[in-house]
Amino acid sequence: IFRGTLSKRGVRVITGLGKYFRQVDKNRNGFLSQAAFKEALKVFHLEVPEGDFESLWLILDDSKSDKVDYGEFTRAIFGEMSEYRKAFVRKAYMKLDFSKTGSVPMVDVRKCYCAR
């Protein structure tokens, strides 16, 4: 449904879905129910016939938990990162992790990054 070269609109939709998922994930566990996922598709005008939706859900909910992990969702759409990109992300993370604890507090991110 989403595979192939993403157009500018496609990238905006995927990015928008990510923001939407975080908004509806009230308990911040990174998972969405089938109903919430179906509603998200409607909100973004992604008309998916019921049979296709069921097939998509079976792929995304491979653990049969009746919920989908947003990280798994993005990997299903974009695929795994290339080794070059993974190395780039690791380098950036190492620069952000000043204390070398393995986690980066938001205050440290703010020291290095301005979204404006």
Coordinates of all heavy atoms in Angstrom, one line a residue, residues 10-66:
G10 N 3.6 11.9 0.0 CA 3.7 10.7 0.8 C 4.6 10.8 2.0 O 4.2 10.3 3.1
V11 N 5.6 11.6 1.9 CA 6.5 11.9 3.0 C 5.7 12.7 4.1 O 5.8 12.4 5.3 CB 7.8 12.6 2.6 CG1 8.6 13.0 3.8 CG2 8.6 11.6 1.7
R12 N 5.0 13.7 3.6 CA 4.2 14.5 4.6 C 3.2 13.6 5.3 O 2.9 13.8 6.5 CB 3.5 15.7 3.8 CG 4.4 16.8 3.5 CD 3.6 18.1 3.1 NE 2.7 17.8 2.1 CZ 2.9 18.0 0.8 NH1 4.1 18.3 0.3 NH2 2.0 17.7 -0.1
V13 N 2.5 12.7 4.5 CA 1.5 11.9 5.2 C 2.2 11.0 6.2 O 1.7 10.8 7.3 CB 0.8 11.0 4.1 CG1 -0.1 9.9 4.8 CG2 -0.1 11.9 3.3
I14 N 3.3 10.3 5.9 CA 4.0 9.5 6.8 C 4.4 10.2 8.1 O 4.3 9.8 9.2 CB 5.2 8.7 6.2 CG1 4.7 7.8 5.0 CG2 5.9 7.9 7.2 CD1 3.7 6.8 5.4
T15 N 5.0 11.4 7.8 CA 5.4 12.3 9.0 C 4.2 12.7 9.8 O 4.2 12.6 11.0 CB 6.1 13.5 8.4 OG1 7.2 13.1 7.6 CG2 6.6 14.4 9.6
G16 N 3.1 13.0 9.1 CA 1.9 13.4 9.8 C 1.3 12.2 10.6 O 0.8 12.4 11.7
L17 N 1.4 11.0 10.0 CA 0.9 9.8 10.8 C 1.7 9.6 12.0 O 1.2 9.3 13.1 CB 1.1 8.6 9.9 CG -0.1 8.2 9.0 CD1 0.3 7.1 8.0 CD2 -1.3 7.9 9.8
G18 N 3.0 9.9 12.0 CA 3.9 9.7 13.1 C 3.4 10.7 14.2 O 3.3 10.3 15.4
K19 N 3.2 11.9 13.9 CA 2.7 12.9 14.9 C 1.3 12.5 15.4 O 1.1 12.6 16.6 CB 2.6 14.3 14.2 CG 4.0 14.9 14.0 CD 3.9 16.2 13.3 CE 5.2 16.8 12.9 NZ 5.1 18.0 12.1
Y20 N 0.5 12.1 14.5 CA -0.9 11.7 14.9 C -0.8 10.5 15.9 O -1.5 10.4 16.9 CB -1.7 11.3 13.7 CG -3.1 10.9 14.0 CD1 -4.1 11.8 14.2 CD2 -3.4 9.5 14.1 CE1 -5.4 11.4 14.5 CE2 -4.7 9.1 14.4 CZ -5.7 10.1 14.6 OH -7.0 9.7 14.9
F21 N 0.0 9.5 15.6 CA 0.2 8.3 16.4 C 0.6 8.7 17.8 O 0.2 8.2 18.8 CB 1.2 7.3 15.8 CG 0.7 6.5 14.7 CD1 1.5 5.7 14.0 CD2 -0.7 6.6 14.3 CE1 1.0 4.9 12.9 CE2 -1.1 5.9 13.2 CZ -0.3 5.0 12.5
R22 N 1.6 9.6 17.9 CA 2.1 10.1 19.2 C 1.0 10.8 20.0 O 0.9 10.7 21.2 CB 3.3 10.9 19.1 CG 4.6 10.1 18.7 CD 5.8 10.9 18.7 NE 5.9 11.9 17.6 CZ 6.2 11.7 16.4 NH1 6.6 10.4 16.0 NH2 6.3 12.6 15.5
Q23 N 0.1 11.5 19.3 CA -1.0 12.2 19.9 C -2.0 11.3 20.5 O -2.5 11.5 21.6 CB -1.7 13.2 19.0 CG -0.8 14.4 18.7 CD -1.4 15.2 17.6 OE1 -2.5 14.9 17.0 NE2 -0.8 16.3 17.2
V24 N -2.4 10.2 19.7 CA -3.4 9.3 20.2 C -2.9 8.2 21.1 O -3.6 7.5 21.8 CB -4.2 8.6 19.0 CG1 -4.9 9.7 18.2 CG2 -3.3 7.8 18.2
D25 N -1.6 8.1 21.2 CA -0.9 7.2 22.2 C -0.9 7.8 23.5 O 0.1 8.2 24.0 CB 0.5 6.8 21.7 CG 1.2 5.8 22.5 OD1 0.5 5.1 23.3 OD2 2.4 5.6 22.4
K26 N -2.1 7.8 24.2 CA -2.2 8.6 25.5 C -1.3 8.0 26.6 O -0.8 8.7 27.4 CB -3.7 8.5 25.9 CG -4.6 9.2 24.9 CD -4.3 10.7 24.7 CE -5.3 11.3 23.8 NZ -4.9 12.5 23.2
N27 N -1.2 6.7 26.6 CA -0.3 6.1 27.7 C 1.1 6.0 27.3 O 1.9 5.4 28.1 CB -0.9 4.8 28.2 CG -1.0 3.8 27.1 OD1 -0.6 4.0 25.9 ND2 -1.6 2.6 27.4
R28 N 1.5 6.5 26.2 CA 2.9 6.6 25.7 C 3.6 5.3 25.7 O 4.8 5.2 26.0 CB 3.7 7.6 26.6 CG 3.1 9.0 26.6 CD 3.5 9.7 25.4 NE 3.1 11.1 25.4 CZ 2.4 11.7 24.5 NH1 2.0 11.0 23.5 NH2 2.0 12.9 24.6
N29 N 2.9 4.2 25.3 CA 3.6 2.9 25.2 C 4.1 2.6 23.8 O 4.8 1.6 23.6 CB 2.7 1.8 25.8 CG 1.5 1.6 24.9 OD1 1.3 2.3 23.9 ND2 0.6 0.7 25.3
G30 N 3.8 3.4 22.8 CA 4.3 3.2 21.5 C 3.5 2.3 20.7 O 3.9 1.9 19.6
F31 N 2.3 1.9 21.2 CA 1.4 1.0 20.5 C 0.1 1.6 20.1 O -0.4 2.5 20.8 CB 1.2 -0.3 21.3 CG 2.3 -1.1 21.6 CD1 3.1 -1.0 22.7 CD2 2.7 -2.1 20.6 CE1 4.2 -1.8 22.9 CE2 3.8 -2.9 20.8 CZ 4.6 -2.8 21.9
L32 N -0.5 1.1 19.0 CA -1.8 1.6 18.6 C -2.7 0.4 18.4 O -2.3 -0.7 17.9 CB -1.8 2.4 17.3 CG -1.2 3.8 17.4 CD1 -1.2 4.4 16.0 CD2 -2.1 4.6 18.3
S33 N -4.0 0.5 18.8 CA -4.9 -0.6 18.6 C -5.3 -0.6 17.1 O -5.1 0.4 16.4 CB -6.2 -0.3 19.4 OG -6.9 0.8 18.9
Q34 N -6.0 -1.6 16.7 CA -6.5 -1.7 15.3 C -7.4 -0.6 15.0 O -7.4 0.0 13.9 CB -7.1 -3.1 15.1 CG -7.5 -3.3 13.7 CD -8.1 -4.7 13.5 OE1 -8.3 -5.5 14.4 NE2 -8.3 -5.1 12.2
A35 N -8.3 -0.3 15.9 CA -9.3 0.8 15.7 C -8.6 2.1 15.6 O -9.0 2.9 14.7 CB -10.3 0.8 16.9
A36 N -7.6 2.4 16.4 CA -6.9 3.7 16.3 C -6.1 3.8 15.0 O -6.1 4.8 14.4 CB -5.9 3.8 17.5
F37 N -5.6 2.7 14.5 CA -4.8 2.6 13.3 C -5.8 2.9 12.1 O -5.5 3.7 11.2 CB -4.1 1.3 13.1 CG -3.3 1.3 11.9 CD1 -2.1 2.1 11.7 CD2 -3.6 0.4 10.8 CE1 -1.4 2.0 10.5 CE2 -2.8 0.3 9.7 CZ -1.7 1.1 9.5
K38 N -6.9 2.2 12.1 CA -7.9 2.4 11.1 C -8.4 3.9 11.0 O -8.5 4.5 10.0 CB -9.1 1.5 11.3 CG -10.1 1.4 10.2 CD -11.2 0.4 10.5 CE -10.7 -1.0 10.2 NZ -11.8 -2.0 10.2
E39 N -8.6 4.5 12.2 CA -9.0 5.9 12.3 C -8.0 6.8 11.7 O -8.3 7.7 11.0 CB -9.4 6.2 13.7 CG -9.9 7.6 13.9 CD -11.2 7.9 13.2 OE1 -12.0 7.0 12.9 OE2 -11.4 9.1 12.8
A40 N -6.7 6.5 12.0 CA -5.6 7.3 11.5 C -5.6 7.3 10.0 O -5.4 8.3 9.4 CB -4.3 6.8 12.0
L41 N -5.8 6.1 9.4 CA -5.8 6.1 7.9 C -7.0 6.9 7.4 O -6.8 7.6 6.4 CB -6.0 4.6 7.5 CG -4.8 3.7 7.8 CD1 -5.2 2.3 7.3 CD2 -3.5 4.2 7.1
K42 N -8.1 6.9 8.0 CA -9.2 7.8 7.6 C -8.9 9.3 7.7 O -9.2 10.0 6.8 CB -10.5 7.5 8.4 CG -11.2 6.2 8.1 CD -12.4 6.0 8.9 CE -13.0 4.6 8.7 NZ -14.1 4.3 9.6
V43 N -8.3 9.6 8.9 CA -7.9 11.0 9.1 C -7.0 11.5 8.0 O -7.1 12.7 7.5 CB -7.2 11.2 10.5 CG1 -6.6 12.5 10.6 CG2 -8.3 11.0 11.6
F44 N -6.1 10.7 7.5 CA -5.2 11.1 6.5 C -5.6 10.7 5.1 O -4.9 10.7 4.1 CB -3.8 10.5 6.8 CG -3.1 11.3 7.9 CD1 -3.3 10.9 9.2 CD2 -2.3 12.3 7.6 CE1 -2.7 11.6 10.2 CE2 -1.7 13.1 8.6 CZ -1.9 12.7 9.9
H45 N -6.9 10.4 4.9 CA -7.6 10.2 3.6 C -6.9 9.0 2.9 O -6.7 9.1 1.7 CB -7.6 11.4 2.8 CG -8.2 12.6 3.5 ND1 -9.6 12.6 3.8 CD2 -7.7 13.7 4.0 CE1 -9.8 13.8 4.4 NE2 -8.7 14.4 4.6
L46 N -6.4 8.0 3.6 CA -5.9 6.8 3.0 C -6.9 5.7 3.0 O -7.1 5.0 3.9 CB -4.6 6.4 3.8 CG -3.5 7.4 3.9 CD1 -2.4 7.0 4.8 CD2 -2.9 7.6 2.5
E47 N -7.7 5.7 1.9 CA -8.8 4.8 1.7 C -8.2 3.4 1.5 O -7.5 3.2 0.4 CB -9.7 5.2 0.6 CG -10.2 6.6 0.7 CD -11.0 6.9 2.0 OE1 -11.7 6.0 2.4 OE2 -10.9 8.0 2.6
V48 N -8.4 2.5 2.4 CA -8.0 1.1 2.2 C -9.2 0.2 2.3 O -9.8 0.2 3.3 CB -6.9 0.8 3.4 CG1 -6.5 -0.6 3.2 CG2 -5.8 1.8 3.4
P49 N -9.4 -0.6 1.3 CA -10.6 -1.5 1.3 C -10.4 -2.5 2.5 O -9.3 -2.8 2.9 CB -10.5 -2.2 0.0 CG -9.7 -1.3 -0.9 CD -8.7 -0.6 0.0
E50 N -11.5 -2.9 3.1 CA -11.5 -3.7 4.3 C -10.6 -5.0 4.1 O -9.8 -5.3 5.0 CB -12.9 -4.1 4.7 CG -13.0 -4.8 6.0 CD -12.5 -3.9 7.2 OE1 -12.6 -2.7 7.1 OE2 -11.9 -4.5 8.1
G51 N -10.7 -5.6 3.0 CA -9.8 -6.8 2.8 C -8.3 -6.5 2.8 O -7.5 -7.2 3.4
D52 N -8.0 -5.4 2.2 CA -6.6 -4.9 2.1 C -6.2 -4.5 3.5 O -5.0 -4.7 3.9 CB -6.4 -3.8 1.2 CG -6.5 -4.2 -0.3 OD1 -6.4 -5.4 -0.6 OD2 -6.7 -3.3 -1.1
F53 N -7.1 -3.8 4.3 CA -6.7 -3.4 5.6 C -6.4 -4.7 6.5 O -5.5 -4.7 7.3 CB -7.9 -2.6 6.3 CG -7.5 -2.2 7.7 CD1 -6.7 -1.1 8.0 CD2 -7.9 -3.0 8.8 CE1 -6.4 -0.8 9.2 CE2 -7.6 -2.7 10.1 CZ -6.8 -1.5 10.3
E54 N -7.3 -5.7 6.4 CA -7.0 -6.9 7.2 C -5.7 -7.5 6.8 O -4.9 -8.0 7.7 CB -8.1 -7.9 6.9 CG -9.5 -7.5 7.5 CD -9.5 -7.3 9.0 OE1 -8.8 -8.0 9.7 OE2 -10.2 -6.4 9.4
S55 N -5.3 -7.5 5.5 CA -4.0 -8.0 5.1 C -2.9 -7.2 5.7 O -1.9 -7.7 6.2 CB -3.9 -8.1 3.6 OG -4.8 -9.0 3.1
L56 N -3.0 -5.9 5.6 CA -2.1 -4.9 6.2 C -1.9 -5.2 7.7 O -0.8 -5.2 8.2 CB -2.5 -3.5 5.9 CG -1.6 -2.4 6.5 CD1 -0.2 -2.4 6.0 CD2 -2.3 -1.0 6.2
W57 N -3.0 -5.3 8.4 CA -3.0 -5.5 9.8 C -2.3 -6.8 10.2 O -1.5 -6.8 11.1 CB -4.4 -5.5 10.4 CG -4.3 -5.5 11.9 CD1 -4.6 -6.6 12.7 CD2 -4.0 -4.4 12.8 NE1 -4.4 -6.2 14.0 CE2 -4.0 -4.9 14.1 CE3 -3.6 -3.1 12.5 CZ2 -3.7 -4.1 15.2 CZ3 -3.3 -2.3 13.6 CH2 -3.3 -2.8 14.9
L58 N -2.5 -7.8 9.4 CA -1.8 -9.1 9.7 C -0.3 -9.0 9.6 O 0.4 -9.6 10.3 CB -2.3 -10.2 8.8 CG -3.7 -10.7 9.0 CD1 -4.2 -11.7 7.9 CD2 -3.8 -11.4 10.4
I59 N 0.1 -8.2 8.6 CA 1.6 -7.9 8.5 C 2.1 -7.1 9.6 O 3.1 -7.4 10.2 CB 1.8 -7.2 7.1 CG1 1.5 -8.2 6.0 CG2 3.3 -6.7 7.0 CD1 1.5 -7.5 4.6
L60 N 1.4 -6.0 10.0 CA 1.9 -5.1 11.0 C 1.8 -5.7 12.4 O 2.7 -5.5 13.3 CB 1.1 -3.8 11.0 CG 1.3 -3.0 9.7 CD1 0.4 -1.8 9.8 CD2 2.8 -2.5 9.6
D61 N 0.8 -6.5 12.7 CA 0.5 -7.1 14.0 C 1.0 -8.5 14.0 O 0.3 -9.5 14.2 CB -0.9 -7.0 14.4 CG -1.2 -7.6 15.8 OD1 -0.3 -7.5 16.6 OD2 -2.4 -8.0 16.0
D62 N 2.3 -8.7 13.7 CA 2.8 -10.1 13.5 C 2.8 -10.8 14.9 O 2.9 -12.1 14.9 CB 4.2 -10.1 12.9 CG 5.2 -9.3 13.6 OD1 4.9 -8.6 14.6 OD2 6.4 -9.4 13.3
S63 N 2.8 -10.1 16.0 CA 2.8 -10.8 17.3 C 1.3 -11.2 17.7 O 1.2 -11.8 18.8 CB 3.4 -9.9 18.4 OG 2.6 -8.7 18.5
K64 N 0.4 -10.8 16.9 CA -1.1 -11.1 17.2 C -1.5 -10.6 18.5 O -2.3 -11.2 19.2 CB -1.3 -12.6 17.1 CG -0.8 -13.3 15.8 CD -1.5 -12.8 14.6 CE -1.1 -13.5 13.4 NZ -0.3 -12.7 12.5
S65 N -1.0 -9.4 18.8 CA -1.4 -8.7 20.1 C -2.5 -7.8 20.0 O -2.9 -7.1 21.0 CB -0.2 -8.0 20.7 OG 0.3 -7.0 19.8
D66 N -3.1 -7.6 18.8 CA -4.2 -6.6 18.5 C -3.7 -5.2 18.7 O -4.5 -4.3 19.1 CB -5.4 -6.9 19.3 CG -6.6 -6.2 18.7 OD1 -6.7 -6.1 17.4 OD2 -7.5 -5.7 19.4

